[in-house]
């Protein structure tokens, strides 16, 4: 193989054949999934309907209204949309399908489109790597199903993972183009690296970027230093393109437990497996036939074996010594989980499997004739030792098919057939998951009652309704809630309050007694409506809640008047720091109707109210990212807004910029002088504005590089 990076590598089969084969793979996979019930028809938990689909829908609806969805005012008393669970709200394909289609249809189209992209990029990459079209088809099939089984089975009801996975082969395909001297590959690589940040959690793009450097160091052509420098430079341009998502995400992380030292220092312990567990998980993911081909690929001498093997081994062992210590270093120390390895690693395992099949089809020296049967026999023994008897039988069948006399007569097709059966079994099980999708339409009557009560009861109180939260109806139906569905960690301060009141802990036996005994803290949240079963209502009824409605299904709606979301107080209690503020708001003597706890060295001055001139607050506009009020106060006072305090919110009083004070531990307040004032609060996060500017700059640089590369290519003809 030539080491000159400008030397054109063989392109393999014609692109038309490659695309047709890739479409066949994606079509077969999608067809089996749709035949089994479709993506999202069966789920492994509440995430799809409680977390992801509502955010997709909400972002699409806001786009129809002419706005970019930046703030979620309905869950957790308000939270930044771009930083919470990476809802994919800036990823164009997600927005497009949800603007145009119903939620269930949108998710089917979204999956199919990205399965096609994954298949095309993977087959193109492998054929250009010299594996041959049949081997590339096997590798692409194994990578495709790895999204839906093994350690990443969540992919079947987490559509945000698939786009990031589909971009992995595109990234390494473009990297090959860079090494081969194709200048247009540079902007494509940067664009793919940047785009990978938008649909999903940051674990996948962070891991991909690291493994790009690993592959660069293990590649051939140029010097090692030059390859690593090129990968790092292009990766930096990719980060620039992804800045519109990265900067708001980093800002949100700093406000959650992920941004604390205690969180990062303990994360690397998560998910450490002993060796036998890893082996069995790998057998489950690839099947005995796929694993046998993978091991043969590691032994197969190709120009990319070192790079693929290095990336696969690191991914395979990433949570164990010595790799686990990486999670003490930024940015890995701020990641929530380490599942990125289990998304990116299978790509390299599938490449090795494709290489292993190519080796089976080649003529081998006599001394290596029995290598394939020995490897497959070893996989059969390991599978049997782990109790995987079906896979053990598959390993035996593959071993028999690859003994020298049969191998020359087409026996190499035996493992291919078993790989096909393995992939078909995975994809036909998409619609046969753990639980059926929730019947959201059946909950519509409950939602209608809750919406009416929230609008009619004094102060528009926030709602605590666990079933509606876990089905995603709080955001979907735009009900303001004191809680929400956010496994990826909500804002640290509101989360601390929720934990103190046990708002999200349905298994805690005395949580309603705790809520009943903390009227001040519940009032600070604006929480006035609670949905409980009749058996749980006793402590709340005894604490002053009143039954106002019975929902379909028998749950009771209880109400206790809470301070309005916008209200005025004339007493300020100074808190020295965060812990002191939390102590004050959790004191059972705290009354948010009369006072506000302000975390500042010098709180704003206030004066006692004039009883003859009551305060008045009128809401003129209450949009997600913009609020307008008129407030009339008789003396200097504090206007409390019971929405989460977060960087990016700005306030103006009578068109003059003013400070937003952190009040009642987690919320906002604006100081007012006596008189009538126009008050405006707007969410204009610098993180997003700066990120969008940097993304635009990155795209402009990529476009410039693309144009220059095209001109040079045309000039060289």
């Amino acid at each position: 193989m030539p080491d000159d990076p400008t030397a054109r590598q063989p392109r393999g089969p014609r692109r038309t054949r490659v695309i047709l084969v890739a479409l066949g793979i994606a079509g077969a996979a999608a067809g089996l999934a749709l035949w089994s019930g479709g993506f999202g028809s069966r789920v492994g938990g509440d995430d799809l309907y409680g977390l992801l689909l509502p955010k997709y829908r909400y972002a699409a609806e806001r786009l129809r209204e002419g706005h970019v969805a930046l703030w979620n005012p309905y869950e957790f008393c308000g939270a930044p949309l771009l930083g919470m669970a990476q809802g994919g709200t800036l990823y164009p394909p997600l927005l497009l399908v949800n603007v145009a289609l119903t939620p269930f249809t949108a998710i089917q189209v979204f999956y199919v489109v990205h399965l096609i992209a994954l298949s095309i990029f993977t087959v193109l990459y492998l054929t250009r790597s010299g594996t041959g079209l049949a081997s590339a088809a096997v590798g692409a099939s194994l990578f495709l199903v790895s999204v839906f089984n093994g350690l990443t089975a969540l992919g079947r009801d987490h559509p945000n993972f698939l786009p990031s996975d589909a971009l992995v082969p595109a990234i390494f395909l473009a990297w090959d183009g860079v090494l081969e001297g194709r200048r247009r590959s540079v902007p494509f690589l940067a664009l793919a690296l940047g785009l990978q940040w938008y649909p999903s959690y940051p674990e996948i793009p962070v891991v991909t970027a690291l493994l790009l450097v690993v592959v660069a160091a293990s590649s051939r052509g140029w010097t090692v230093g030059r390859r690593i420098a090129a990968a790092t430079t292009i990766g930096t341009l990719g980060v620039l393109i992804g800045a519109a998502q990265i900067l708001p995400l980093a800002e949100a992380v700093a406000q959650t437990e992920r941004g604390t030292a205690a969180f990062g220092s303990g994360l690397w312990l998560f998910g450490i497996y002993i060796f036998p567990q890893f082996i069995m998980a790998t057998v489950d993911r690839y099947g005995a036939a796929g694993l046998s081909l993978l091991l043969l690929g590691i032994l197969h001498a190709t120009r990319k074996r070192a790079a693929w093997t290095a990336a696969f081994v690191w991914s395979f062992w990433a949570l164990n010594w010595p790799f686990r210590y990486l999670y003490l270093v930024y940015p890995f120390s701020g990641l929530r989980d380490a599942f990125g390895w289990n998304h990116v690693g299978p790509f390299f395992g599938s490449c090795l499997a494709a290489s292993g099949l190519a080796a089976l089809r080649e003529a081998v020296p006599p001394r290596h004739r029995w290598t394939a049967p020995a490897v497959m026999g070893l996989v059969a023994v390991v599978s049997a030792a782990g109790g995987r008897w079906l896979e053990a039988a598959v390993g035996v069948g593959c071993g028999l098919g690859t003994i020298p006399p049969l191998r020359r007569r087409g026996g190499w097709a035996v493992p291919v057939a078993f790989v096909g059966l393995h992939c078909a079994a995975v994809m036909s099980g998409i619609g046969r998951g753990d639980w059926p999708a929730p019947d959201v339409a059946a909950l519509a009557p409950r939602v209608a009652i809750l919406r009416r009560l929230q609008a009619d009861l004094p102060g528009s109180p926030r709602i605590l309704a666990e079933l509606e939260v876990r089905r995603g109806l709080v955001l979907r139906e735009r009900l303001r809630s004191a809680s929400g569905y956010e496994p990826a960690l909500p804002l640290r301060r509101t989360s601390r309050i929720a934990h103190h009141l046990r708002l999200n802990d349905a298994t805690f036996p005395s949580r309603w007694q705790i809520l009943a005994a903390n009227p001040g803290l519940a009032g600070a949240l604006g929480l006035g409506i609670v949905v409980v079963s009749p058996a749980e209502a006793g402590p709340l009824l005894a604490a002053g809640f009143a039954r106002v409605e019975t929902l379909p299904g028998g749950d009771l709606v209880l109400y206790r008047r809470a301070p309005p979301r916008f209200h005025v107080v004339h007493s300020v209690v100074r808190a020295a720091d965060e812990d002191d503020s939390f102590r004050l708001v959790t004191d059972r003597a705290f009354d948010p109707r009369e006072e506000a706890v302000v975390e500042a060295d010098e709180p704003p001055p206030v004066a006692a109210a004039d009883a003859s001139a009551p305060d008045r607050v009128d809401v003129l506009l209450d949009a997600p990212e913009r609020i307008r009020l008129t407030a009339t106060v008789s003396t200097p006072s504090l206007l409390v807004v019971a929405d989460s305090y977060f960087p990016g919110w700005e306030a103006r009083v009578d068109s003059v910029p003013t400070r937003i004070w952190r009040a009642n531990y987690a919320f906002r307040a604006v100081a007012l002088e006596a008189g009538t004032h126009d008050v405006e609060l707007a969410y204009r996060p610098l993180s997003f504005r700066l990120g969008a500017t940097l993304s635009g700059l990155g795209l402009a640089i990529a476009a410039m590089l693309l144009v220059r590369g095209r001109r040079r290519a045309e000039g060289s003809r």
Side-chain angles (χ1 to χ4, degrees):
M1 244 348 182
D3 286 343
D4 179 7
T6 63
R8 299 285 181 177
Q9 304 296 344
R11 290 184 177 269
R14 288 182 177 274
R15 186 173 298 179
T16 302
R17 291 178 59 199
V18 167
I19 292 176
L20 287 176
V21 169
L23 288 175
I25 294 168
L32 287 169
L34 295 174
W35 168 78
S36 71
F39 300 100
S41 62
R42 305 284 295 190
V43 294
D46 293 320
D47 285 3
L48 178 61
Y49 288 87
L51 179 70
L52 299 172
L53 293 185
K55 286 185 173 63
Y56 303 160
R57 201 67 185 167
Y58 177 70
E61 289 171 354
R62 291 291 289 157
L63 187 63
R64 286 198 203 102
E65 297 166 2
H67 302 280
V68 176
L70 301 176
W71 186 257
N72 170 8
Y74 302 104
E75 297 179 291
F76 299 108
C77 303
L81 195 65
L82 296 185
M84 308 303 287
Q86 282 270 145
T89 54
L90 292 180
Y91 185 58
L94 264 177
L95 289 172
L96 181 63
V97 295
N98 280 280
V99 164
L101 304 169
T102 61
F104 188 76
T105 303
I107 191 177
Q108 309 310 309
V109 172
F110 184 80
Y111 265 107
V112 171
V113 167
H114 286 87
L115 289 177
I116 291 172
L118 182 148
S119 299
I120 289 175
F121 289 140
T122 305
V123 174
L124 276 173
Y125 175 75
L126 287 171
T127 52
R128 290 191 175 188
S129 299
T131 63
L133 189 55
S135 299
V138 168
S141 299
L142 283 170
F143 181 44
L144 186 152
V145 300
S146 75
V147 179
F148 304 99
N149 75 337
L151 296 175
T152 50
L154 287 175
R156 68 184 179 189
D157 53 10
H158 286 65
N160 54 336
F161 292 156
L162 182 56
S164 294
D165 294 343
L167 286 166
V168 172
I171 287 167
F172 290 95
L173 179 65
W175 171 249
D176 275 3
V178 172
L179 288 181
E180 293 166 13
R182 295 198 295 271
R183 295 182 179 273
R184 285 177 291 179
S185 296
V186 171
F188 283 121
L189 175 55
L191 182 62
L193 287 167
L195 193 60
Q196 203 183 30
W197 282 93
Y198 287 94
S200 186
Y201 291 85
E203 284 81 354
I204 299 176
V206 167
V207 166
T208 303
L210 177 60
L211 291 181
L212 175 61
V213 175
V214 171
V215 169
S218 307
S219 299
R220 299 177 63 183
W222 301 348
T223 64
V224 174
R226 186 182 175 191
R227 293 196 302 267
I228 293 177
T232 303
T233 302
I234 299 170
T236 302
L237 179 57
V239 168
L240 201 64
I241 292 172
Q245 176 64 73
I246 294 171
L247 294 188
L249 178 63
E251 183 177 62
V253 165
Q255 302 292 323
T256 70
E257 291 297 326
R258 288 174 290 174
T260 65
F263 180 83
S265 63
L267 179 63
W268 58 270
L269 294 173
F270 174 79
I272 296 177
Y273 293 94
I274 61 174
F275 192 71
Q277 288 175 307
F278 266 132
I279 294 296
M280 287 303 101
T282 307
V283 170
D284 293 338
R285 162 165 282 170
Y286 297 99
L291 180 56
S292 299
L293 293 176
L294 189 159
L295 295 176
L296 286 176
I298 292 176
L299 301 174
H300 187 210
T302 64
R303 65 187 177 93
K304 291 187 175 178
R305 178 182 62 177
W308 291 345
T309 302
F312 175 75
V313 169
W314 190 328
S315 300
F316 179 80
W317 202 245
L319 297 181
N320 290 268
W321 184 90
F323 300 115
R324 67 189 189 188
Y325 292 107
L326 182 66
Y327 282 87
L328 299 177
V329 180
Y330 185 83
F332 290 89
S333 59
L335 298 180
R336 172 178 173 250
D337 275 333
F339 60 78
W341 305 101
N342 295 316
H343 282 264
V344 186
F347 169 69
F348 297 102
S350 300
C351 291
L352 289 169
S355 180
L357 178 59
L360 278 181
R361 301 183 66 189
E362 295 173 358
V364 295
R367 65 180 182 277
H368 293 311
R369 288 182 302 170
W370 293 95
T371 299
V375 166
M376 294 175 180
L378 175 62
V379 170
V381 171
V382 170
S383 299
R388 307 303 200 271
W389 298 105
L390 178 59
E391 297 299 341
V394 169
V396 171
C398 291
L400 292 174
T402 55
I403 61 176
L406 295 179
R407 178 176 171 180
R408 292 193 298 270
R409 292 172 173 80
W412 58 267
V414 173
V416 173
F418 281 122
V419 166
L421 291 174
H422 169 75
C423 295
V426 172
M427 297 310 299
S428 62
I430 295 297
R432 298 183 177 89
D434 300 331
W435 301 287
D439 188 352
V440 175
L443 298 175
R446 291 171 58 105
V447 171
I449 293 171
L450 292 174
R451 184 186 293 111
R452 172 175 56 80
L453 291 173
Q454 190 167 57
D456 294 345
L457 290 172
S460 299
R462 285 196 168 98
I463 291 172
L464 181 61
E466 184 177 345
L467 181 61
E468 281 67 26
V469 162
R470 299 194 73 83
R471 296 298 179 261
L473 296 174
V474 166
L475 180 56
R476 174 174 169 164
E477 301 296 335
R478 305 196 183 190
L479 299 171
R480 295 189 184 273
S481 174
S483 65
Y485 188 82
E486 180 55 63
L489 303 179
L491 299 180
R492 184 179 68 253
R493 294 200 179 211
T494 48
S495 179
R496 188 176 181 183
I497 293 174
H499 179 73
H500 183 81
L501 295 175
R502 302 287 180 172
L503 296 186
N504 298 318
D505 191 352
T507 63
F508 194 75
S510 58
R511 65 172 179 152
W512 300 122
Q513 288 92 328
I514 294 174
L515 179 61
N518 287 271
L521 189 56
L525 293 169
L527 176 58
I529 297 175
V530 181
V531 178
V532 297
S533 68
E536 298 173 309
L540 297 175
L541 292 171
F545 280 86
R547 174 178 171 178
V548 293
E549 193 73 66
T550 300
L551 298 179
D555 285 340
L556 304 182
V557 182
L558 307 183
Y559 169 70
R560 180 172 65 184
R561 185 160 185 164
R565 183 162 149 244
F566 310 106
H567 65 278
V568 173
V569 298
H570 292 268
S571 176
V572 170
V573 179
R574 175 185 172 278
D577 53 29
E578 178 179 341
D579 289 335
D580 188 36
S581 178
F582 187 74
R583 178 186 61 81
L584 290 168
V585 298
T586 54
D587 190 312
R588 296 191 181 184
F590 170 62
D591 186 353
R593 294 179 178 83
E594 303 295 333
E595 62 185 354
V597 174
V598 175
E599 200 174 309
D601 293 333
E602 296 183 8
V606 297
D610 183 350
S612 64
D615 302 320
R616 179 184 176 91
V617 178
D618 294 306
V619 181
L620 305 179
L621 175 68
D622 189 6
E625 289 88 22
R626 188 164 173 249
I627 299 167
R628 288 188 58 210
L629 314 164
T630 58
T632 301
V633 294
S634 57
T635 62
S637 56
L638 201 65
L639 172 64
V640 176
V641 179
D643 291 350
S644 298
Y645 182 98
F646 192 81
W649 278 98
E650 302 171 350
R652 290 177 177 269
V653 176
D654 300 327
S655 301
V656 177
T658 190
R659 175 178 177 177
I660 297 179
W661 299 83
R662 193 192 293 273
N664 297 341
Y665 183 68
F667 305 103
R668 305 176 220 149
V670 175
L672 301 176
E673 297 293 331
T676 299
H677 304 280
D678 293 321
V679 181
E680 181 176 357
L681 293 97
Y683 184 55
R684 301 181 65 248
L686 177 62
S687 59
F688 177 70
R689 287 181 286 139
L690 178 60
T693 301
L694 292 175
S695 291
L697 176 62
L699 289 171
I701 293 173
M704 180 185 68
L705 292 173
L706 181 62
V707 170
R708 288 183 61 185
R710 182 170 295 175
R711 287 176 178 173
R712 291 199 177 194
E714 291 174 352
S716 64
R717 291 176 184 172

